[in-house]
Amino acid sequence: MQLLSLIDFLTLNEWFVLIIFLTFIAMLFRGIPVAYALVGVSLIFIVLAIFVLDPNKTGIREYIEYDDTRISYKKMGAAAGRFFGGVIKNPVLVALPMFIFMGLMLDQSGVAQRMMRSMQVLFGALRGGLALSVMLIGIILAASTGVIGASVVLLGVMGLPAMMEQNYSKSIATGTIAASGTLGILIPPSIMLVIMSDQLSISLGDLFMGALFPGLLLGALYITFIVIYGVLRPSAMPVPENREPVTGKVIAEVALSVMPPMALILVVLGSIFFGFATPTEASGLGALGAMVLAILNRKLTYTVFRDVMRQTLNTSGYIVGIFIAANFFAYVLRLYGGDETIKHMIAGSFDNPYMIVIFILFIVFLLGFLLDWIEITLIIMPLVLPVVLGLDLAVDGFGVVDDPQIVWFAILVAVTLQTSFLTPPVGFALFYLKGVCPPGVTLGHIYKGVIPFVLLQLFGLFIVFEFPWLVTWLPAVAYAN
């Protein structure tokens, strides 16, 4: 009876939207690359609309008709030009390859290796000191890169062998590295926030400043967990027997190793915060600053520059390819009434606007097990945006921030998507880390190690949900100044 009620409840348009999504998921489970799956599903349903469906019989006349609004070759051709122009001519997306280049070049500059050597000595006498060193370096790298793949691999190569030599628990060691490496996708500058800014049509500067406190909050929760875990399970993070004394020279070395990346952070975020540069201009300053650090550390060679350029091209091309494919998919879905269907199904399910936000975040969390953050951001965010715009949420923008509830919602989604990097089977941080693990460290150890950090991410999400000012206060201060 419930199944029959569901069949009666769904309109024909809603059935088509559901079938489109199920077809896309089925293609993913068949191992078809995401971009190909998005375009393939779109083409299948375009052909279905043009050659099979009869609008006079199907009841979707509002969306597919024989006049100029009907899905047609002409309309598809115009849409292709619009997608291409929307990517190539989009000033916000110009910052994307710059931030990717900055992160990759910084990883090659030798800054992280210098910080690791000095912090190992500084925190060597503390229980869990090596894990704290990795976490602090991960936070600093997050605020100066925005690319998680390179950060996870770099922290794994530098920190994991030392942890194994010091007899750390394999689970806590791998969990610490994976969690700290993923902070780069949240703490600005972040390529995820660049894409969110474009999809939601809100200020990138607002997103950067709004994400700073939530990102640092997650870092603080991780550090607190490591300290408490070290007290409760001392055998999991033993203190090294032979440790160097902490002297003034060691403290000076730590300060000197931290100053270059902090200066880069100040150049990028400070220029945005104080209004000296737009986020796009700041991305160029960041790329230049990363090259300067590599030169000062004598790490910039032709080979390094060539490899960083190639990796930047590959990563940018991958993102732009999915960007175009996802926009094509969303466009076809919209012609089938997908946006109205999603709005009706979500908004009609709850009376409380905050329950609607929680439901959307729950869906994003579940999709994180199956999809990458790029697909979720490009497909789901535009579909749920009309729903969120129609909600009456008491989010204080301090009279300055434009669209405070959209900025708050975007950061909530960004915090939720942190879990997508640590949840199998598509947790990219897990596989980045597994690729550099020494023998004896298995995926089972990594899966077990990330569980407490996923729970901490959800706890951090709860805090940001309960206290929206953590997101909106800093952008308001920037505008006030």
Side-chain angles (χ1 to χ4, degrees):
M1 294 298 294
Q2 292 180 349
L3 179 60
L4 292 176
S5 299
L6 177 62
I7 294 175
D8 292 336
F9 173 76
L10 293 177
T11 65
L12 187 59
N13 285 48
E14 291 167 346
W15 273 114
F16 274 117
V17 172
L18 180 61
I19 292 171
I20 290 173
F21 274 112
L22 291 178
T23 305
F24 171 61
I25 297 297
M27 284 190 173
L28 291 182
F29 277 107
R30 293 289 296 175
I32 298 174
V34 174
Y36 295 159
L38 289 169
V39 174
V41 171
S42 303
L43 292 175
I44 288 172
F45 283 88
I46 286 173
V47 171
L48 181 67
I50 294 176
F51 296 107
V52 179
L53 295 178
D54 180 0
N56 295 315
K57 297 178 181 179
T58 60
I60 54 176
R61 180 192 301 270
E62 181 180 357
Y63 303 108
I64 305 175
E65 297 184 356
Y66 287 118
D67 60 16
D68 192 50
T69 62
R70 174 179 176 260
I71 293 180
S72 63
Y73 296 116
K74 181 180 179 181
K75 195 163 187 177
M76 289 299 103
R82 187 184 71 175
F83 298 150
F84 184 79
V87 175
I88 302 302
K89 298 180 180 179
N90 192 326
V92 176
L93 294 182
V94 174
L96 191 65
M98 290 293 188
F99 282 131
I100 293 172
F101 178 90
M102 182 183 73
L104 295 173
M105 181 58 73
L106 192 69
D107 287 335
Q108 296 290 332
S109 68
V111 170
Q113 291 87 338
R114 188 178 178 185
M115 284 193 294
M116 177 63 79
R117 288 193 299 268
S118 59
M119 286 188 179
Q120 280 181 345
V121 179
L122 180 63
F123 296 112
L126 299 178
R127 188 170 301 281
L130 194 52
L132 287 175
S133 300
V134 169
M135 187 59 67
L136 289 172
I137 294 172
I139 294 173
I140 294 173
L141 288 178
S144 51
T145 60
V147 183
I148 74 113
S151 297
V152 171
V153 170
L154 183 64
L155 291 173
V157 170
M158 292 190 306
L160 195 54
M163 288 180 170
M164 295 299 95
E165 184 179 348
Q166 201 168 308
N167 296 320
Y168 268 59
S169 164
K170 295 176 182 178
S171 297
I172 192 65
T174 53
T176 299
I177 293 172
S180 60
T182 59
L183 286 171
I185 208 67
L186 176 62
I187 298 178
S190 160
I191 59 176
M192 179 170 67
L193 298 179
V194 174
I195 295 178
M196 279 190 176
S197 169
D198 173 74
Q199 293 298 293
L200 299 179
S201 300
I202 54 180
S203 167
L204 180 56
D206 283 352
L207 282 185
F208 274 5
M209 288 178 279
L212 187 59
F213 284 166
L216 295 178
L217 171 66
L218 283 186
L221 290 175
Y222 296 163
I223 291 174
T224 303
F225 167 75
I226 291 171
V227 173
I228 295 176
Y229 193 88
V231 173
L232 298 178
R233 294 283 304 275
S235 60
M237 292 186 286
V239 178
E241 297 179 359
N242 300 321
R243 52 184 183 271
E244 299 180 32
V246 178
T247 62
K249 182 180 179 181
V250 171
I251 297 176
E253 177 63 26
V254 171
L256 289 174
S257 66
V258 171
M259 283 176 59
M262 294 302 294
L264 184 63
I265 295 169
L266 181 62
V267 168
V268 176
L269 297 184
S271 61
I272 299 173
F273 185 90
F274 293 107
F276 297 142
T278 65
T280 302
E281 293 166 344
S283 68
L285 292 174
L288 178 62
M291 289 186 64
V292 170
L293 292 182
I295 293 172
L296 293 177
N297 288 328
R298 299 180 180 179
K299 296 289 185 178
L300 184 59
T301 63
Y302 170 75
T303 302
V304 168
F305 183 76
R306 181 196 61 194
D307 291 344
V308 168
M309 290 291 287
R310 284 180 175 175
Q311 292 179 59
T312 301
L313 177 63
N314 290 338
T315 305
S316 301
Y318 168 75
I319 294 175
V320 170
I322 294 182
F323 189 96
I324 295 175
N327 273 271
F328 187 34
F329 177 83
Y331 179 69
V332 173
L333 193 68
R334 202 176 304 116
L335 290 174
Y336 273 91
D339 48 354
E340 291 298 324
T341 298
I342 297 298
K343 183 178 180 179
H344 170 71
M345 295 180 69
I346 295 178
S349 301
F350 303 95
D351 295 327
N352 189 324
Y354 291 96
M355 287 302 301
I356 293 177
V357 174
I358 292 173
F359 178 72
I360 294 174
L361 295 177
F362 178 69
I363 295 299
V364 170
F365 173 73
L366 293 182
L367 289 175
F369 285 83
L370 301 174
L371 300 176
D372 189 11
W373 66 267
I374 303 177
E375 297 91 67
I376 296 175
T377 302
L378 293 175
I379 298 173
I380 302 301
M381 295 294 275
L383 290 176
V384 301
L385 178 59
V387 178
V388 180
L389 285 173
L391 299 179
D392 184 16
L393 302 172
V395 179
D396 189 1
F398 300 93
V400 180
V401 181
D402 295 331
D403 297 322
Q405 75 178 37
I406 299 300
V407 174
W408 175 63
F409 172 74
I411 300 304
L412 286 175
V413 174
V415 176
T416 306
L417 286 176
Q418 285 279 293
T419 62
S420 69
F421 293 98
L422 302 181
T423 50
V426 193
F428 281 102
L430 311 179
F431 299 101
Y432 287 138
L433 181 57
K434 183 62 178 73
V436 297
C437 283
V441 179
T442 65
L443 269 176
H445 294 126
I446 300 176
Y447 288 159
K448 182 180 178 182
V450 299
I451 291 175
F453 292 98
V454 172
L455 296 177
L456 288 173
Q457 289 171 342
L458 295 177
F459 180 60
L461 176 65
F462 170 76
I463 295 175
V464 176
F465 184 87
E466 286 293 317
F467 303 101
W469 61 265
L470 288 170
V471 174
T472 59
W473 179 80
L474 190 58
V477 171
Y479 276 119
N481 293 334

